[in-house]
Amino acid sequence: VPPYEMMPTGTDKDEERRSTTVLIEEEQPPPRDHLAWSLCSTLYGNVLCLGLLAFIFSVKSRDRKMLGDRNGALSYGSTAKYLNITALVINIIIIIIVITVVA
């Protein structure tokens, strides 16, 4: 037997339809824009202008976040993060090559 609930005999179908449903969404953390990291990449290792590009995408991410466009902010923020990672890896490789050549 399926687990159906029987309607009480004393209630009317119109009263059953007047119920209110409230949906509560979980509060999600705001998307990260990586602005400080992008600023450091711009000032301390702007290889191939990747730090400057990361800074531009970080500012765009912050603007989208202020406008309430969560998907746009996530997209620009992730692009800024990947540009920062690429700039950091290239800077580390250059430092290792310089230390190796000097030593």
Side-chain angles (χ1 to χ4, degrees):
V1 175
Y4 295 123
E5 295 181 23
M6 298 297 294
M7 277 189 70
T9 56
T11 60
D12 188 18
K13 288 186 180 181
D14 291 335
E15 291 177 16
E16 188 77 22
R17 292 184 189 140
R18 287 187 222 147
S19 65
T20 303
T21 304
V22 177
L23 298 175
I24 300 174
E25 295 182 14
E26 290 185 26
E27 189 69 27
Q28 296 179 349
R32 298 190 59 176
D33 54 12
H34 307 287
L35 189 65
W37 189 10
S38 298
L39 186 62
C40 289
S41 292
T42 302
L43 295 176
Y44 297 115
N46 199 7
V47 178
L48 303 174
C49 293
L50 291 177
L52 181 63
L53 284 173
F55 184 74
I56 291 169
F57 278 100
S58 295
V59 170
K60 285 183 177 186
S61 174
R62 181 160 288 192
D63 290 343
R64 290 292 177 184
K65 185 170 48 173
M66 293 300 160
L67 290 175
D69 181 14
R70 181 171 174 75
N71 291 333
L74 283 171
S75 175
Y76 283 125
S78 67
T79 303
K81 180 175 84 170
Y82 292 132
L83 287 170
N84 281 322
I85 290 171
T86 305
L88 180 65
V89 168
I90 291 174
N91 283 332
I92 289 173
I93 291 171
I94 288 173
I95 289 171
I96 290 172
I97 289 172
V98 167
I99 290 174
T100 305
V101 168
V102 170

